[in-house]
Amino acid sequence: MMSHPRPGQRANRGLAPHNRPPGFLKRTKLTLQFTGWLQYIPTAAAAGILLAAALVGSRIGLWRVLLFWLPLGIGILLTGALLVDLVTVKLGLRFFEPTPRALDELDTFGVIHTRRSCRSFQNRELTASDREELMRAVHRHTRPTHLIGTRPIRLEYVAASLKVWPTVGAREFIVAIAPRAYDRLAVIDVGRSLHKVVLHATRMGVASCWIGAGADQTSVVSHLGDRFDPADEHVVCVCAVGYRSRFKPTAVRAIELLQHRRLPLASLFFATPSFDTPLDVDQPPFSPFRRCYEACRWSPSSLNTQTTRCIGTTDDSGRTMARFDFCTTTASRYYAPLGLGIWCANWEAGCEALGLPGYLRVLTPEERGEHVTPEPPRYGVSWIADPLGAPPAYGPAPTGPSR
């Protein structure tokens, strides 16, 4: 996701703020990154090091299997992989790839678990029907009545090859825009609304990738044109959309393997605000939400840092679930609230699929029965169970079959 400026910094530096000109190494890295070459450097470097090691090993003449043949074999394999990557990905010379099919046979949780960040897209644009359906989802999930906060947000479609990293081949994007004046609920709304669009896209067979610091701010703003006012608006993040390609750089495949891990539920869901007692997710009254916990656990987050936590509470009897409070573990102004909003999207989708009615609402410390404590953790929003499905005084309509 994003790195972001504080109020008073340059207007459009939400994606890559700088207080002073970057040094030589930084400039070189950015040049390689946004010209699309950085993805291939790790593979080339590893191959070069191994081949050099094999050369040294051949001169030593001892333990030839370990010091010569092993590094030589791996170095040759990596060199071959690099050449294939350059031809199929960088030059775009690849076999025909069919349009992915829709996932209509999957339930909500199947869609949530199937969704993965797409690091390589096919050399084709979305079909007109897919683009229209996607934009209908954008309109639906950004309506003022759908938001938790009171500040408007926008999701703008951009058809252009924006400068992004490490994703390759992306040529269509959804750009998330919030008010320039910082509003934490607006950032949460961006994460929640955009992820609901992402889930809808996943069911359609359209792949997606949240991109933050890996997107060049100048490129994004220039392609928005007069749809963006730097005096009043701020680009929070972008999301690449398109059809997934099986061709991707070897280094990108390694990144995906490293990021495909999640914390256990005992580290994410708690029974107390002090986060010292894991929530007993397998016992009533919390066991009906078991699949929702897993849905949140697999939510995407910046660098897979999983900065969202949840506190489950009961009523005075201790036998009836009352609400879940979603919090962030860092003071991040953008990364963490975005991640919390994504959790809310998965949570609401899961509750609706399970027929568990409730709604999101921001509660005061008094309503939560808590004292204000040093941050972090920082409270974000609560999901309140409501068997009657009564609409809240503010915030979105209840989720579940009562809608």
Side-chain angles (χ1 to χ4, degrees), residues 103-115:
L103 305 178
D104 295 326
E105 76 281 3
L106 296 182
D107 65 6
T108 296
F109 297 100
V111 171
I112 290 173
H113 287 289
T114 297
R115 192 266 163 189

Side-chain angles (χ1 to χ4, degrees), residues 47-371:
I49 291 171
L50 287 167
L51 292 176
L55 178 61
V56 173
S58 69
R59 299 295 180 90
I60 294 175
L62 299 175
W63 304 305
R64 290 184 63 82
V65 172
L66 181 63
L67 298 182
F68 175 68
W69 290 110
L70 182 61
L72 178 64
I74 298 177
I76 291 174
L77 288 175
L78 287 177
T79 301
L82 176 62
L83 292 175
V84 171
D85 290 345
L86 292 174
V87 171
T88 61
V89 181
K90 186 62 176 174
L91 299 180
L93 303 177
R94 61 183 71 167
F95 296 109
F96 171 79
E97 296 182 271
T99 303
R101 62 180 181 83
L103 305 178
D104 295 326
E105 76 281 3
L106 296 182
D107 65 6
T108 296
F109 297 100
V111 171
I112 290 173
H113 287 289
T114 297
R115 192 266 163 189
R116 294 285 186 274
S117 293
C118 178
R119 306 296 185 185
S120 181
F121 292 87
Q122 295 184 19
N123 293 330
R124 67 171 73 189
E125 296 181 349
L126 293 175
T127 64
S129 58
D130 280 350
R131 188 181 303 110
E132 290 172 3
E133 182 175 349
L134 195 62
M135 295 315 297
R136 285 196 295 269
V138 165
H139 176 74
R140 181 167 64 253
H141 293 301
T142 54
R143 294 195 304 263
T145 54
H146 175 86
L147 304 180
I148 301 171
T150 58
R151 304 293 297 278
I153 64 169
R154 291 192 293 121
L155 302 178
E156 290 286 349
Y157 169 79
V158 172
S161 296
L162 301 181
K163 296 178 181 179
V164 296
W165 181 90
T167 298
V168 296
R171 59 188 66 196
E172 295 178 81
F173 298 84
I174 297 175
V175 181
I177 301 172
R180 177 67 188 157
Y182 181 76
D183 185 293
R184 191 164 183 265
L185 280 181
V187 181
I188 293 174
D189 273 327
V190 165
R192 174 173 170 260
S193 298
L194 181 50
H195 196 61
K196 289 189 175 184
V197 174
V198 165
L199 292 179
H200 187 88
T202 302
R203 183 174 292 281
M204 292 168 54
V206 174
S208 59
C209 182
W210 292 77
I211 306 174
D216 177 55
Q217 169 73 24
T218 303
S219 174
V220 175
V221 171
S222 65
H223 284 94
L224 283 171
D226 58 8
R227 290 181 292 169
F228 179 75
D229 183 354
D232 296 323
E233 297 177 318
H234 176 72
V235 174
V236 178
C237 63
V238 302
C239 182
V241 292
Y243 301 121
R244 186 182 302 272
S245 172
R246 65 178 181 272
F247 300 99
K248 66 184 71 172
T250 301
V252 172
R253 293 181 187 274
I255 291 173
E256 291 179 336
L257 290 175
L258 291 174
Q259 292 188 347
H260 189 62
R261 67 190 187 282
R262 293 295 188 274
L263 294 172
L265 294 181
S267 299
L268 299 173
F269 293 86
F270 297 89
T272 61
S274 57
F275 299 101
D276 54 7
T277 304
L279 191 69
D280 194 344
V281 298
D282 294 318
Q283 296 296 324
F286 299 108
S287 53
F289 297 87
R290 189 64 169 77
R291 300 186 74 185
C292 294
Y293 305 137
E294 284 291 341
C296 289
R297 177 175 176 248
W298 287 99
S299 297
S301 59
S302 173
L303 299 177
N304 199 26
T305 49
Q306 292 184 270
T307 55
T308 307
R309 298 293 183 271
C310 182
I311 306 165
T313 64
T314 62
D315 63 8
D316 293 337
S317 70
R319 294 190 296 270
T320 302
M321 204 285 298
R323 71 175 193 272
F324 290 93
D325 296 335
F326 297 98
C327 309
T328 57
T329 60
T330 73
S332 163
R333 289 159 53 85
Y334 288 88
Y335 290 127
L338 276 173
L340 189 150
I342 294 172
W343 264 51
C344 289
N346 276 357
W347 182 267
E348 288 181 289
C351 288
E352 183 171 357
L354 295 175
L356 299 170
Y359 56 88
L360 290 172
R361 184 172 178 180
V362 179
L363 303 178
T364 65
E366 292 76 19
E367 288 175 314
R368 302 196 309 273
E370 299 175 12
H371 299 291

